[in-house]
Amino acid sequence: MAITVANCCFSALSSASTFKSRHCHLRFATFTSTSHSYLDARSLKATNNNKRAPKKSSSASPRKSNAEQKLPGRLKDDKSSLYGDGISGKGETGRPQSTGFKSFGTQRKEKKEFQLDSRDQQVEPGSFQDATFLNAVVKVYCTHTAPDYSLPWQKQRQYTSTGSAFMIGDGKLLTNAHCVEHDTQVKVKRRGDDTKYVAKVLARGVDCDIALLSVESQEFWKGAEPLRLGHLPRLQDAVTVVGYPLGGDTISVTKGVVSRIEVTSYAHGSSDLLGIQIDAAINPGNSGGPAFNEKGECIGVAFQVYRSEEAENIGYVIPTTVVSHFLNDYERNGKYTGFPCLGVLLQKLENPALRACLQVESNEGVLVRRVEPTSDANNVLKQGDVIVSFDNVHVGSEGTVPFRSNERIAFRYLISQKFAGDVAELGIIRAGKFMKVPVELNPRVHLVPYHIDGDQPSYLIIAGLVFTPLSEPLIEEECEESIGLKLLAKARYSLARFKGEQIVILSQVLANEVNIGYEDMGNQQVLKFNGTRIRNIHHLAHLVACCQDKYIVFEFEDNYLAVLEREAAMAASPRILKDYGIPSERSDDLLEPYVESLEDNQAIEQDFGDSPVSNLEMGFDGILWA
């Protein structure tokens, strides 16, 4: 499966060995200023790499080839284990498929909450050409400067892309998050105008692929009529997608119908949220543009399409329910906090004997197989519990709940309607007894993040040894083969045991006489420093700063050791930084004091690999995350 999002590049995972049972390509089609073609993650990455001049410091260790880059996702086609806040999509076992999602792409504030409004701006079918609300759709010009995750002290060469956005009032615009990812400059231009105005990114929701922009210029807003959000459409309802895709500079309108409404895999945030499938054409540059119904109401935001040899005309729109959740979250907290999750691994209970063994008398409920250590449910739910209701809504044995009049939808949908910090009441059966328990819902804590907060990765250089946290963008940039199957499996399937935990790796060694013998090391997880297990890279920096021993000892996986004389290592570090043109031995975030967390002492003593990855958790039917 390939997912293409219209303004940024993303790549897809096509794993080796066990992971090769199906090919899953997450790629973002980008409309750049130099191309009018669909670019997958690898081709665009190669294009950007070829344009870099000069490349990185010539004296630094050579970069791994990007020719075989693959997806930074958790095997979206290889799992029926589905995250409630969305980590994976579900694919069918069998022969490899060549498929693709591509994303291309509100409402005004009524008191405190954003409400769906269907009363205003109604037009007759066929009158879109003269509809004034089309003037609320603007073109977005973004300059991106992404971090270099392999050499984390510097940035990659900038590139530009275009997308779409629309006005929602109060001096704000909505677009897709991938349209303004790693932005250094954002400009917008209204329909029929020849002036571009500078816009500011107020909030970016990676998981729901929505971004909120503001434009301070009063000139930009003269005569503007913001859009209002309509209600969730019905199947076969007519839909019109408006935006600025490739093929021309003026506004574009394409029409289709609503084909399906269900929980959908969002390519950019690797999340599972409600989505509207349509057959209207969505192309690079459409990202962030609105979709209208026949009455002229905005029913969502265009963001991705599905590409496959076996399917066509499958586009996706972010529905108004998700958009309103994003806006209300921002209004409540002054920032975007994200969609919450329950934090449990669930199994369907379709087998009668399984239900009888668990003392579940009716055909309902899902089995709790595992609870995330970092979730609030860890203090409430136990392995073997059966969840039969969520806020008094009954959960079916296949993990679905009632949706509208005569439909059913994935259980995760109910969780996605909540906000971070909300409390849900779960009805559970434990050892044959029914009870109700309250559970607080919060965003998932990822051991290996899909995106880096603050846009710049952390790093620490000790005598030429470059340490950095493992992240999906780093896996994408380095390519999976160089990361290794064992480390890749941990990245895909391991759970964080406590908040703040990271997989810290030695990404490369900057060759110097002080580190002779270690030059070929790279992409190896460091577990301990002088006998102390490492919690995260900030903890490692703290341990190094406090060390007074004669030797500094790094313990890696498979009992591999790297030992340096402390005084020699400290003396050589400034010379190495100078030789390789590196401004600092550590990233700015590691200059802050490290705060010890006592509650994690017990968890830290467990090995990263003590929970083997089973075939079930790697993606066979009957399992889902919520």
Side-chain angles (χ1 to χ4, degrees):
M1 178 191 337
I3 299 184
T4 327
V5 182
N7 279 66
C8 292
C9 299
F10 210 60
S11 68
L13 165 65
S14 177
S15 301
S17 182
T18 310
F19 304 124
K20 279 190 174 177
S21 60
R22 272 161 287 163
H23 295 295
C24 165
H25 295 296
L26 290 188
R27 65 180 183 219
F28 296 86
T30 306
F31 183 30
T32 69
S33 60
T34 58
S35 172
H36 287 261
S37 62
Y38 295 92
L39 304 179
D40 66 20
R42 289 171 289 182
S43 64
L44 182 56
K45 190 71 174 179
T47 300
N48 286 337
N49 285 344
N50 291 337
K51 291 195 299 183
R52 296 182 193 176
K55 188 65 178 109
K56 306 168 179 67
S57 304
S58 59
S59 53
S61 296
R63 273 278 296 278
K64 307 293 187 300
S65 171
N66 284 324
E68 296 298 325
Q69 285 188 28
K70 301 172 185 176
L71 140 78
R74 283 184 167 80
L75 290 176
K76 299 179 87 63
D77 253 340
D78 262 332
K79 298 184 69 174
S80 61
S81 300
L82 302 177
Y83 279 97
D85 64 346
I87 285 192
S88 65
K90 179 178 177 181
E92 297 180 359
T93 56
R95 60 187 177 82
Q97 302 179 22
S98 174
T99 59
F101 272 118
K102 106 182 168 185
S103 310
F104 315 101
T106 45
Q107 119 172 89
R108 304 190 62 157
K109 186 169 65 173
E110 302 289 344
K111 297 183 180 177
K112 284 190 174 180
E113 299 287 311
F114 286 85
Q115 305 295 332
L116 306 184
D117 196 319
S118 61
R119 296 172 298 178
D120 298 341
Q121 302 181 356
Q122 296 188 2
V123 298
E124 295 299 324
S127 63
F128 276 87
Q129 181 175 356
D130 300 322
T132 57
F133 57 78
L134 292 185
N135 295 328
V137 185
V138 304
K139 190 170 185 177
V140 178
Y141 301 81
C142 185
T143 301
H144 312 259
T145 307
D148 192 321
Y149 296 94
S150 296
L151 302 177
W153 50 86
Q154 65 186 35
K155 298 271 192 177
Q156 298 182 22
R157 181 169 180 171
Q158 70 180 26
Y159 64 96
T160 61
S161 67
T162 64
S164 306
F166 58 94
M167 303 174 182
I168 60 171
D170 296 329
K172 297 180 178 64
L173 303 164
L174 274 186
T175 187
N176 284 142
H178 72 260
C179 291
V180 292
E181 184 181 30
H182 305 309
D183 65 287
T184 51
Q185 185 184 69
V186 180
K187 295 180 290 186
V188 294
K189 185 174 72 172
R190 289 183 60 175
R191 180 190 182 195
D193 196 353
D194 61 353
T195 303
K196 297 176 184 176
Y197 298 87
V198 175
K200 178 183 178 182
V201 179
L202 297 178
R204 187 184 290 108
V206 172
D207 53 358
C208 60
D209 201 2
I210 302 175
L212 185 65
L213 311 180
S214 68
V215 178
E216 295 182 357
S217 173
Q218 297 300 317
E219 186 71 21
F220 175 82
W221 296 101
K222 283 186 178 179
E225 295 185 16
L227 300 181
R228 294 177 181 268
L229 298 184
H231 294 284
L232 197 65
R234 296 282 178 175
L235 296 183
Q236 301 186 59
D237 280 359
V239 61
T240 301
V241 176
V242 180
Y244 292 86
L246 57 79
D249 294 326
T250 58
I251 200 166
S252 170
V253 177
T254 58
K255 293 187 177 182
V257 298
V258 174
S259 307
R260 180 184 292 149
I261 300 176
E262 65 179 4
V263 174
T264 302
S265 180
Y266 281 45
H268 183 61
S270 296
S271 55
D272 293 329
L273 299 170
L274 191 65
I276 302 173
Q277 179 184 321
I278 63 175
D279 66 355
I282 299 177
N283 294 301
N286 270 125
S287 280
F292 297 98
N293 59 19
E294 286 186 313
K295 298 179 180 179
E297 303 163 357
C298 177
I299 55 103
V301 184
F303 77 118
Q304 68 186 28
V305 300
Y306 181 83
R307 295 294 187 195
S308 171
E309 296 176 355
E310 301 176 353
E312 58 184 18
N313 298 332
I314 299 179
Y316 290 94
V317 171
I318 303 171
T320 52
T321 52
V322 175
V323 174
S324 295
H325 188 287
F326 168 83
L327 294 173
N328 288 329
D329 187 349
Y330 178 76
E331 288 295 308
R332 288 182 176 192
N333 303 292
K335 62 178 181 179
Y336 179 69
T337 61
F339 282 78
C341 73
L342 185 57
V344 292
L345 175 64
L346 303 172
Q347 179 179 343
K348 301 175 183 179
L349 294 183
E350 297 177 288
N351 185 276
L354 178 58
R355 292 196 301 271
C357 179
L358 295 170
Q359 303 181 55
V360 180
E361 298 179 357
S362 57
N363 185 19
E364 63 178 355
V366 286
L367 174 65
V368 175
R369 295 189 57 243
R370 194 173 180 183
V371 185
E372 291 190 30
T374 56
S375 71
D376 292 275
N378 191 45
N379 300 319
V380 179
L381 298 178
K382 298 180 180 180
Q383 179 180 334
D385 288 346
V386 176
I387 300 175
V388 296
S389 68
F390 183 95
D391 281 346
N392 295 319
V393 178
H394 289 282
V395 179
S397 62
E398 62 175 4
T400 61
V401 295
F403 180 64
R404 301 201 287 196
S405 57
N406 58 348
E407 302 173 69
R408 295 190 71 84
I409 198 167
F411 169 46
R412 300 181 306 282
Y413 169 72
L414 295 181
I415 302 172
S416 69
Q417 302 306 294
K418 298 288 188 177
F419 291 90
D422 285 355
V423 176
E425 185 180 66
L426 299 182
I428 65 172
I429 295 177
R430 178 178 295 169
K433 296 182 180 179
F434 175 79
M435 63 183 69
K436 290 189 175 182
V437 294
V439 177
E440 184 175 332
L441 305 175
N442 284 294
R444 171 168 282 106
V445 176
H446 292 289
L447 178 62
V448 178
Y450 287 97
H451 296 264
I452 303 297
D453 293 336
D455 288 339
Q456 198 64 26
S458 302
Y459 72 89
L460 176 67
I461 303 176
I462 305 169
L465 278 65
V466 181
F467 296 95
T468 189
L470 185 64
S471 65
E472 292 293 352
L474 177 60
I475 294 173
E476 172 193 359
E477 195 166 290
E478 286 288 296
C479 83
E480 293 160 14
E481 286 79 2
S482 68
I483 293 294
L485 186 60
K486 187 173 183 180
L487 192 57
L488 190 63
K490 291 181 181 181
R492 303 299 187 223
Y493 306 109
S494 295
L495 300 177
R497 296 162 299 169
F498 53 87
K499 294 179 180 179
E501 182 181 13
Q502 294 175 328
I503 295 179
V504 181
I505 66 169
L506 172 66
S507 64
Q508 62 177 305
V509 177
L510 307 177
N512 183 272
E513 61 182 15
V514 75
N515 53 46
I516 287 177
Y518 307 134
E519 303 93 333
D520 295 330
M521 294 182 66
N523 293 330
Q524 294 177 247
Q525 182 185 0
V526 57
L527 301 177
K528 295 181 179 180
F529 175 82
N530 282 15
T532 301
R533 186 168 291 277
I534 297 168
R535 298 186 173 113
N536 50 51
I537 193 167
H538 206 162
H539 183 222
L540 174 60
H542 171 72
L543 294 175
V544 172
C546 297
C547 179
Q548 297 297 323
D549 297 341
K550 181 178 181 180
Y551 296 101
I552 53 179
V553 181
F554 300 95
E555 297 181 45
F556 299 87
E557 285 224 298
D558 301 323
N559 299 317
Y560 196 93
L561 297 179
V563 181
L564 300 170
E565 188 178 359
R566 183 177 61 84
E567 292 185 358
M570 296 301 107
S573 289
R575 296 196 304 270
I576 295 173
L577 296 179
K578 182 179 179 180
D579 291 344
Y580 286 84
I582 301 173
S584 175
E585 67 175 3
R586 63 184 67 193
S587 53
D588 291 342
D589 60 311
L590 300 186
L591 298 176
E592 299 293 328
Y594 176 75
V595 179
E596 193 84 22
S597 178
L598 297 178
E599 62 184 15
D600 302 331
N601 286 338
Q602 183 175 0
I604 200 64
E605 292 305 320
Q606 302 174 11
D607 191 7
F608 280 97
D610 62 355
S611 295
V613 179
S614 69
N615 287 336
L616 286 177
E617 289 169 306
M618 291 178 65
F620 289 87
D621 287 341
I623 315 165
L624 60 157
W625 279 99

